[in-house]
Amino acid sequence: MSGRDARTAPAPGPDAARRGVVRAVWCEHAWLDADGVVDAVRVEVDADGTVVGVAPGVAAQDGDVVLPGVAFPAAANAHSHAFHRALRGRTHDRGGTFWTWRETMYRAAGALTPALYEDLATAAYAEMVATGWTSVAEFHYVHHQPDGTPYGQGPDDGGEGPGCDGPHAMELALARAAVRAGIRLTLLDTCYLAGGFGTPLEDGQLRFSDGTAAQWLDRLASLRATISVLYPAHQVSVGAAIHSVRAVPEDQLAVIARHLPSGMPLHIHLSEQPAENEDCLRATGTTPAGLLGRYGLVSERLSAVHATHVSDADVAILGNAGAVVVLCPTTEADLADGIGPAGGFRGAGAVLALGTDQHAVVDPWLEMRALEHGERLRTGRRGHFDPAGLHGIAAVGGATAQGRPGAGFRPGCAADFMAVDPHSARTAGSAWEQLAYTATAQDVTAVVVGGALLARDGVHATLGRPADLLVAAIARLDEAADSLSPKEHHECRS
């Protein structure tokens, strides 16, 4: 069946109106979890982009958004640093260590202005949408001007245009980017206060810091109030993050534990590198997970990102609390971080989620597959995560990390779907229930967010080809980075 262009649905009838239906999506085939792939599924959607009705085996109606191929719940990206997209394919010289990567990352961070960041994030988010990610947790720490002066206080660093030099300039740039791309954004405002255990910030890190946890909490409260006025929560919401235990001293962790508003998602980079564990043990007498537990910061709202180098006790701490563990398999492979114990976390009771982190790969299908492959390589066995498990991790686990309802074909779920071609060179011959093991972003034929068609065949509905946006945005960032003096090209190694 050939696809039809999305059109505005006609006015709903009385029954639909009572359910709040404003549009519908008709899927040629849809994966309905336990029922497998079902033909001709029509999904009714309300004004907030939430599923209110699902009818299999029915014909499409005039005005429905029509998805050819096999539709699946879209993926929720639980960990992103949008500006890292500018690093892809540039960090593999001199052996391509984590530290050479980090030097390149700081160079890009130092050149960002609100206007440049809005352009780059718009491009990165458009790429995500076109590949099947429909929400994103943005782990954001580039808050201030390069010398650490908050935006709205003193001269800015070149941000052009309205809103580029006032309070929360960087954060609002990310929000505008997400709205332009149509992706649901959970903006994780990040506390970053130190260059390491007992180590002050270096020059290249000054713009990340608010000075103290109390000052960060004040700015976080102001940001939450600002965002709540400008955007509905299903479009943009604010969460919190602690960059890492090495970047927030122990006494400041205690302040956060006492005063962070309840119910907010809280994320942290945890045990990504063995050196982090060693430094934490030396400075505090416990592991990063143990330190968070010491201050009551391990709970269901916590998302521990990476958690690659953890002890059995760490796994139990996170699992017993029902915390989310956000794995970023393609990034962890790219940086040679290692393979975390995904199966161990699942067995301990943790919720698993997936993220793209530095965007070396932006493809939910490859992240799902890399999760299973990592367990196979770690254990020498196949079949750790079946397709239902992988789709659940991608869609529901990632949404849980954001404090959002996950995508799915049930009332109350987000009406976010990605359809794939089951007859491509990669998927031909696959059992449709097993497309998680064969499909890639190249096979995504359409992406729907909140019941609205946002991408078809890799092209964004309003922004065009993400590649064109990326080329232009990265070129502008490169030009800005090249214009900095040698002194401003900081290489932070802490």
Side-chain angles (χ1 to χ4, degrees):
M1 178 182 217
S2 61
R4 292 183 252 162
D5 292 336
R7 299 188 293 274
T8 303
D15 290 342
R18 280 195 295 271
R19 295 194 301 275
V21 176
V22 297
R23 63 177 66 91
V25 179
W26 187 86
C27 308
E28 184 181 19
H29 313 282
W31 181 79
L32 302 187
D33 200 353
D35 295 327
V37 175
V38 176
D39 297 339
V41 176
R42 189 170 189 267
V43 184
E44 295 179 327
V45 184
D46 70 9
D48 289 333
T50 300
V51 174
V52 292
V54 179
V58 300
Q61 299 181 19
D62 287 343
D64 288 357
V65 174
V66 173
L67 301 184
V70 184
F72 292 86
N77 190 341
H79 190 65
S80 162
H81 302 288
F83 78 91
H84 288 191
R85 178 59 184 82
L87 310 181
R88 185 185 294 178
R90 297 180 168 200
T91 62
H92 303 275
D93 55 339
R94 290 178 287 158
T97 68
F98 175 86
W99 303 108
T100 60
W101 170 86
R102 202 160 182 250
E103 290 166 9
T104 307
M105 183 271 284
Y106 274 99
R107 183 176 184 271
L112 288 172
T113 66
L116 287 173
Y117 206 0
E118 182 173 347
D119 287 347
L120 180 57
T122 298
Y125 293 156
E127 181 183 14
M128 288 183 201
V129 168
T131 60
W133 302 102
T134 57
S135 67
V136 60
E138 181 62 37
F139 199 107
H140 167 64
Y141 52 82
V142 188
H143 301 302
H144 306 303
Q145 298 176 48
D147 66 356
T149 302
Y151 285 96
Q153 299 179 22
D156 66 47
D157 69 338
E160 306 88 355
C164 286
D165 59 357
H168 310 306
M170 282 294 201
E171 293 74 30
L172 293 175
L174 287 167
R176 290 192 298 271
V179 171
R180 286 175 64 192
I183 199 167
R184 304 176 192 269
L185 173 67
T186 302
L187 182 58
L188 300 170
D189 197 89
T190 302
C191 186
Y192 195 132
L193 305 175
F197 291 99
T199 304
L201 296 166
E202 297 189 21
D203 288 348
Q205 299 167 316
L206 293 175
R207 70 185 313 182
F208 306 161
S209 178
D210 292 291
T212 67
Q215 291 170 317
W216 169 71
L217 286 162
D218 287 343
R219 187 177 55 74
L220 175 65
S222 173
L223 175 63
R224 290 183 78 194
T226 299
I227 291 293
S228 69
V229 170
L230 294 175
Y231 303 103
H234 66 81
Q235 186 177 61
V236 181
S237 63
V238 176
I242 296 165
H243 179 272
S244 56
V245 293
R246 67 180 184 276
V248 178
E250 189 171 353
D251 63 333
Q252 300 299 294
L253 283 178
V255 173
I256 293 171
R258 287 196 300 270
H259 299 293
L260 186 69
S262 63
M264 287 186 73
L266 175 65
H267 290 223
I268 185 170
H269 295 126
L270 189 88
S271 296
E272 181 178 5
Q273 293 281 323
E276 175 187 343
N277 293 342
E278 295 162 6
D279 291 346
C280 189
L281 280 166
R282 189 161 44 247
T284 72
T286 188
T287 62
L291 185 61
L292 294 180
R294 179 180 293 172
Y295 292 97
L297 288 167
V298 182
S299 68
E300 289 183 351
R301 74 164 171 178
L302 180 71
S303 291
V305 182
H306 302 304
T308 306
H309 301 281
V310 287
S311 67
D312 290 344
D314 295 333
V315 172
I317 289 170
L318 295 168
N320 289 339
V324 180
V325 174
V326 182
L327 302 167
C328 307
T330 62
T331 287
E332 287 144 12
D334 183 76
L335 296 179
D337 282 343
I339 300 171
F345 279 120
R346 179 181 59 179
V351 176
L352 297 182
L354 293 170
T356 59
D357 194 358
Q358 58 146 340
H359 317 308
V361 175
V362 176
D363 185 332
W365 299 89
L366 290 184
E367 296 294 349
M368 285 190 286
R369 196 137 69 248
L371 178 64
E372 167 64 18
H373 288 173
E375 280 298 279
R376 293 181 184 186
L377 290 169
R378 192 173 67 85
T379 66
R381 293 186 294 105
R382 301 179 78 204
H384 296 269
F385 296 99
D386 62 17
L390 292 173
H391 285 292
I393 290 166
V396 180
T400 299
Q402 299 181 47
R404 297 182 178 277
F409 294 93
R410 294 187 306 277
C413 293
D416 296 0
F417 312 119
M418 52 180 173
V420 298
D421 178 2
H423 303 300
S424 76
R426 289 157 297 279
T427 61
S430 299
W432 290 1
E433 286 81 4
Q434 296 184 33
L435 286 168
Y437 299 129
T438 59
T440 73
Q442 289 177 276
D443 304 309
V444 174
T445 58
V447 179
V448 165
V449 182
L453 183 74
L454 276 195
R456 192 181 288 283
D457 296 324
V459 178
H460 195 279
T462 59
L463 297 174
R465 286 180 4 109
D468 296 336
L469 301 175
L470 288 163
V471 167
I474 293 170
R476 287 191 289 272
L477 183 63
D478 285 346
E479 183 178 0
D482 289 343
S483 70
L484 297 177
S485 67
K487 182 180 178 181
E488 292 172 299
H489 285 311
H490 307 289
E491 294 187 356
C492 302
R493 297 175 177 271
S494 59

